[in-house]
Amino acid sequence: MKRFIETSGRHRKIEGWPLVFTILVTLSILVGGIVEFLPLVLVKSNIPRIETVKPWTPLELAGRDIYIREGCNNCHSQMVRPFRQEIERYGEYVKPGETIYERPFLWGSKRTGPDLYRVGGKYPNLWHVRHFDDPRSTSPKSIMPRYTWFQKQDLNFDGIGRKMQTLQTLGVPYSDEEIASAADNAKRQAAAIAQDVVASGGPANLEGKEIVAIVAYLQRLGTDIKGSSASTAAAGISDVPSGTN
Amino acid sequence: MTTHNTEAASGVQANARQGSAEIDINSYNDRIVRYFVLATILWGVVGMLVGVIIALQLPFRGANLGQYLTFGRLRPLHTNAVIFAFAGNAIFAAIYYSTQRLVKARMFSDAMSLFHFWGWQAIIVSAALTLPLGITTSKEYAELEWPIDIAIAVVWIVFGANFFLTLKNRREKHMYVALWFYIATIITVAVLHVGNSLALPVSLTKSYPIYAGVQDAFIQWWYGHNAVAFFLTTPFLGLMYYFLPKAAERPVFSYRLSIIHFWSLVFIYIWAGPHHLNYTALPEWATTLGMTFSVMLWMPSWGGMINGLFTLRGAWHKLRDSVVLKMYVIGITFYGMSTFEGPMLSVKSVNALSHYTDWTIGHVHAGALGWNGFMTFGMIYWLVPKLWRTELWSQKLATTHFWIGTIGMLLYVFSMYTSGITQGLMWRAFDETGRLAYPDFIETVVQIIPMYWVRMVGGTLYLTGTLLLAFNVMKTIAKAPKDLPDPAFALPSSAYSA
């Protein structure tokens, strides 16, 4: 050690060789990442598969991208930790296998508002519609801003297929038929949610708006682990083709 | 004898051979340093102003102005602006100024330097436009979409090439410790940026990452943690190693310590990322590794702090008259505090309380406002009189900046500690019947609103300090000579060449 660090020692030599120095630095910074990352890819038992976990439906995928666009993850986490107080407050803690279709992951790092991972099925669709229009109408002291434009802006149904195609290339098991019928499928699910909102006494004509997509996404969140039938029932959907949900 | 690409803007005949090839006349490109200094100040004001706005949006939701200016869209703009625009331009100023002098050579190419400068500013502007529009990947500190990611990679490669080719032209055989840290910065930021940004585009404004779920989370925090390490720590340590001894007129405390803490820092830092994912779906072995290396990281971090503070041995009396040294002492002290706090927060039992709360926000701002901010301000107050060849307009105003900034920072940090610990304890509180004491989440929010106001006051004070700096620099430049030729120097041509 002493030979290495003394003023005229061996380290002094490599201070005169920028290329060697740079190579040594590069090797030093690569080790940690490789050792930690490779097992996550190569060792399957790190992320045990859960049979009931399925890819997002087209409408939910569109809703998830709205969640990303609005930066919801800056205030809401999606990661229930295995503590008694969190399971009590939010529900079952999150398993690795539940997250395999999260591109990108949205676990978050700050809870300015509550965790949302198990919010699926917790409230009726109309609750979400009202909450987005004015969070104070459902939680009186909430500091969340209003998202009034969700009920006004049209959802881009035609763009969903392209997104699914990209995800298919990345390995998400969407079939070609599912991609081809993405817009129709999304419109069916949107209509079901819009009907449910009207039936519960909420506003009409939401089936083409962004609000139905984000509600569909939130109603699906964290429900797959209960089995696929539970998740569709919670979201108020009955006519989504099996295999996409 | 190497040839140097040294076309000086001022008309200094670069690399002219005097008579019999025995003397080289050369010059440093200081114009580019002036550019980066001005950009640092401009983006500092912008980034901190956005910070104050989002701080206001939490206790006062009326400050969420319509679709494009909600907290969710502005928060990434704030973080990107202060990290990549404010701190980014500051480290480029530091690197361009000090590298030329440490290797006794002009930057390899003036064109590449200018491309780096304007390319980087264009990236910042595109971030300021796309983030409010909701064009985002959602990955923290890597929110920019793929076309901008490619632009970042290109600009960074040009910057790296310019830097390494300058090293090749050096006339000092041995690289000073500041340069080691610059090398680590350039290499690692490139690796992290490319590694975390790999994605498949859907359109010009949307892409999906090649990683999913647990793997995506790991890669993101490998990146996110090491952005702190190699964008906000190593280049600032390099800055410290050059500018602190200059300002204190004392040699660095220990050469051996600098070797030991440099190599241990660059090796250990990379492992620490998973501490951002304690108790999540990331496998436990990975978070335990992350925690262990985070605790180990305490020592190399304090090696840097000790080497900095001990450099002032026998020079402490200079603090009274030097706003530069005052800034550095607070900066290095906050570096020491946040690099103690970081390992502590990474310990799982502490993290169980602190994670997801404002404690994390307090922690990063101790580092950002204290270490990055004050090291930058100290550097600017030292550099501006040299770059513009005139005295600083007002020392008094600079000292006022120091005090306002320090008070603002303390208000910020302590309000966030209070808010974070309060809320963390409320989340986990059970009543005597075994039920959650605060089952409504909103109860825990209402409790901390007063702290949000204190934080906003603290942030506003800190921003005010930065505005004083901007005003002081403007006034200084106004009285600077019109003609600012690049500083020239002569060296015997027998001096070392690589």
Side-chain angles (χ1 to χ4, degrees):
Chain A
M1 190 68 179
K2 191 155 175 290
R3 271 186 312 179
F4 195 72
I5 61 171
E6 66 197 9
T7 319
S8 54
R10 291 184 183 169
H11 194 271
R12 194 77 184 146
K13 275 219 173 77
I14 60 168
E15 287 165 28
W17 301 333
L19 185 64
V20 175
F21 197 97
T22 304
I23 292 168
L24 289 174
V25 167
T26 310
L27 294 175
S28 308
I29 60 114
L30 285 177
V31 177
I34 292 170
V35 171
E36 290 179 341
F37 185 60
L38 281 188
L40 293 178
V41 181
L42 302 176
V43 183
K44 294 278 176 253
S45 63
N46 273 320
I47 305 162
R49 293 290 243 194
I50 301 170
E51 274 306 309
T52 54
V53 173
K54 303 282 189 240
W56 309 105
T57 67
L59 188 67
E60 291 157 4
L61 181 66
R64 192 172 197 270
D65 285 337
I66 293 172
Y67 186 97
I68 291 170
R69 182 188 78 192
E70 298 298 340
C72 304
N73 55 295
N74 285 294
C75 288
H76 294 279
S77 59
Q78 288 189 16
M79 181 48 64
V80 182
R81 296 178 293 177
F83 302 145
R84 179 180 158 218
Q85 67 270 17
E86 300 218 344
I87 293 167
E88 196 103 328
R89 188 183 295 278
Y90 302 117
E92 188 56 29
Y93 69 88
V94 181
K95 318 290 185 294
E98 289 184 88
T99 70
I100 56 171
Y101 298 119
E102 295 182 0
R103 286 176 196 263
F105 82 114
L106 292 170
W107 302 359
S109 60
K110 177 70 174 66
R111 285 178 185 155
T112 302
D115 189 278
L116 296 179
Y117 200 81
R118 300 285 176 207
V119 81
K122 192 171 175 182
Y123 304 105
N125 291 327
L126 180 58
W127 186 95
H128 286 288
V129 172
R130 290 198 170 134
H131 180 259
F132 277 121
D133 185 52
D134 184 4
R136 262 65 56 194
S137 67
T138 52
S139 349
K141 289 176 180 164
S142 171
I143 63 170
M144 181 171 140
R146 299 174 67 179
Y147 286 83
T148 50
W149 50 90
F150 286 172
Q151 286 193 39
K152 294 180 189 135
Q153 288 179 179
D154 291 330
L155 185 71
N156 175 10
F157 286 96
D158 296 331
I160 304 174
R162 181 95 188 269
K163 291 178 174 185
M164 291 168 73
Q165 208 160 19
T166 308
L167 288 169
Q168 188 194 43
T169 313
L170 288 168
V172 177
Y174 287 126
S175 71
D176 292 340
E177 298 81 67
E178 283 169 336
I179 292 171
S181 63
D184 291 340
N185 183 320
K187 280 174 187 160
R188 268 204 303 282
Q189 193 181 355
I193 294 173
Q195 273 164 27
D196 175 66
V197 169
V198 172
S200 327
N205 304 322
L206 294 183
E207 60 275 2
K209 304 297 177 189
E210 289 183 339
I211 184 78
V212 286
I214 185 112
V215 170
Y217 168 63
L218 291 175
Q219 294 290 25
R220 171 77 183 277
L221 262 183
T223 56
D224 278 18
I225 200 166
K226 301 172 193 157
S228 54
S229 58
S231 75
T232 46
I237 310 157
S238 49
D239 59 344
V240 174
S242 62
T244 55
N245 189 35
Chain B
M1 188 60 236
T2 51
T3 51
H4 301 280
N5 182 353
T6 50
E7 189 79 302
S10 60
V12 171
Q13 193 55 45
N15 206 21
R17 294 192 172 193
Q18 303 281 302
S20 59
E22 285 184 346
I23 300 282
D24 277 346
I25 294 181
N26 216 318
S27 69
Y28 299 133
N29 183 352
D30 274 1
R31 192 164 68 119
I32 197 71
V33 185
R34 284 193 288 270
Y35 282 13
F36 277 119
V37 166
L38 293 177
T40 305
I41 299 172
L42 172 70
W43 294 122
V45 170
V46 173
M48 291 171 204
L49 180 65
V50 179
V52 170
I53 292 170
I54 61 173
L56 177 66
Q57 286 175 333
L58 293 182
F60 176 66
R61 63 166 195 286
N64 287 281
L65 298 170
Q67 187 172 359
Y68 303 106
L69 302 173
T70 55
F71 181 92
R73 294 191 185 196
L74 285 187
R75 190 259 180 178
L77 181 58
H78 164 63
T79 52
N80 278 277
V82 290
I83 297 171
F84 299 109
F86 170 65
N89 278 303
I91 62 181
F92 299 142
I95 290 173
Y96 277 80
Y97 184 87
S98 61
T99 300
Q100 299 186 84
R101 282 150 177 93
L102 288 169
V103 304
K104 291 205 170 65
R106 192 181 173 91
M107 287 310 294
F108 171 76
S109 157
D110 287 0
M112 283 163 93
S113 303
L114 272 178
F115 178 82
H116 175 199
F117 177 81
W118 288 112
W120 197 255
Q121 311 315 314
I123 287 162
I124 295 166
V125 171
S126 63
L129 293 174
T130 55
L131 292 173
L133 287 173
I135 299 167
T136 172
T137 65
S138 87
K139 295 177 83 166
E140 279 182 78
Y141 327 121
E143 287 92 347
L144 303 177
E145 265 296 353
W146 66 274
I148 309 177
D149 278 343
I150 292 174
I152 293 171
V154 170
V155 171
W156 197 264
I157 287 166
V158 170
F159 163 49
N162 198 14
F163 174 84
F164 282 109
L165 290 167
T166 309
L167 286 190
K168 193 168 179 295
N169 283 350
R170 74 194 185 283
R171 294 192 188 81
E172 283 286 340
K173 178 156 175 58
H174 296 105
M175 296 183 296
Y176 177 65
V177 51
L179 296 172
W180 315 346
F181 281 101
Y182 299 159
I183 291 174
T185 301
I186 292 170
I187 294 295
T188 317
V189 169
V191 171
L192 294 167
H193 172 68
V194 173
N196 189 40
S197 302
L198 293 176
L200 202 58
V202 179
S203 68
L204 207 59
T205 56
K206 177 74 192 167
S207 64
Y208 291 116
I210 65 163
Y211 319 99
V214 172
Q215 292 160 7
D216 192 42
F218 173 84
I219 288 286
Q220 159 58 27
W221 286 112
W222 165 78
Y223 163 87
H225 185 72
N226 291 297
V228 175
F230 290 90
F231 207 90
L232 298 176
T233 306
T234 54
F236 281 89
L237 283 167
L239 182 162
M240 177 190 86
Y241 273 112
Y242 181 82
F243 291 93
L244 176 69
K246 281 281 181 192
E249 295 169 314
R250 287 284 186 286
V252 163
F253 169 65
S254 167
Y255 167 71
R256 293 175 187 195
L257 181 58
S258 65
I259 296 175
I260 292 171
H261 101 96
F262 171 79
W263 287 104
S264 47
L265 193 85
V266 297
F267 177 76
I268 293 173
Y269 235 125
I270 287 284
W271 297 73
H275 71 218
H276 290 259
L277 298 165
N278 278 337
Y279 295 115
T280 67
L282 187 71
E284 200 178 359
W285 62 262
T287 54
T288 303
L289 256 183
M291 176 185 91
T292 310
F293 276 80
S294 304
V295 173
M296 285 159 64
L297 199 50
W298 177 17
M299 281 302 122
S301 300
W302 274 26
M305 174 188 70
I306 288 167
N307 229 354
L309 289 180
F310 282 23
T311 295
L312 288 168
R313 72 203 181 288
W316 287 97
H317 62 281
K318 292 184 179 178
L319 248 69
R320 203 179 50 187
D321 299 319
S322 166
V323 73
V324 174
L325 288 181
K326 280 195 191 80
M327 289 281 186
Y328 286 158
V329 166
I330 290 289
I332 296 167
T333 306
F334 268 83
Y335 175 62
M337 278 170 44
S338 42
T339 53
F340 165 74
E341 191 187 20
M344 182 179 76
L345 290 175
S346 78
V347 173
K348 290 187 185 186
S349 47
V350 183
N351 196 262
L353 174 72
S354 74
H355 197 49
Y356 301 125
T357 75
D358 284 321
W359 194 347
T360 312
I361 317 297
H363 168 62
V364 293
H365 283 83
L369 304 178
W371 165 242
N372 300 121
F374 271 40
M375 295 307 284
T376 299
F377 300 145
M379 177 187 77
I380 291 176
Y381 282 122
W382 188 83
L383 265 182
V384 162
K386 291 191 169 48
L387 291 172
W388 275 274
R389 303 193 184 176
T390 180
E391 295 275 292
L392 188 67
W393 182 68
S394 168
Q395 284 291 337
K396 223 178 212 164
L397 200 63
T399 310
T400 313
H401 174 194
F402 170 80
W403 286 110
I404 289 184
T406 305
I407 294 166
M409 185 157 67
L410 291 173
L411 283 176
Y412 190 113
V413 172
F414 283 101
S415 62
M416 288 297 94
Y417 288 164
T418 312
S419 141
I421 293 170
T422 303
Q423 200 178 27
L425 290 173
M426 289 175 87
W427 287 344
R428 59 161 62 174
F430 286 97
D431 64 17
E432 60 276 17
T433 63
R435 285 177 298 194
L436 288 171
Y438 306 98
D440 281 338
F441 188 89
I442 192 68
E443 289 178 88
T444 72
V445 178
V446 170
Q447 188 71 30
I448 60 174
I449 296 270
M451 288 301 116
Y452 282 164
W453 287 110
V454 176
R455 181 253 300 267
M456 209 205 79
V457 171
T460 307
L461 285 177
Y462 194 87
L463 169 66
T464 308
T466 310
L467 287 168
L468 295 184
L469 167 90
F471 183 70
N472 211 347
V473 170
M474 260 167 50
K475 283 289 192 184
T476 308
I477 294 173
K479 69 188 179 78
K482 287 263 173 317
D483 190 29
L484 294 167
D486 281 337
F489 63 97
L491 270 184
S493 51
S494 58
Y496 173 79
S497 79

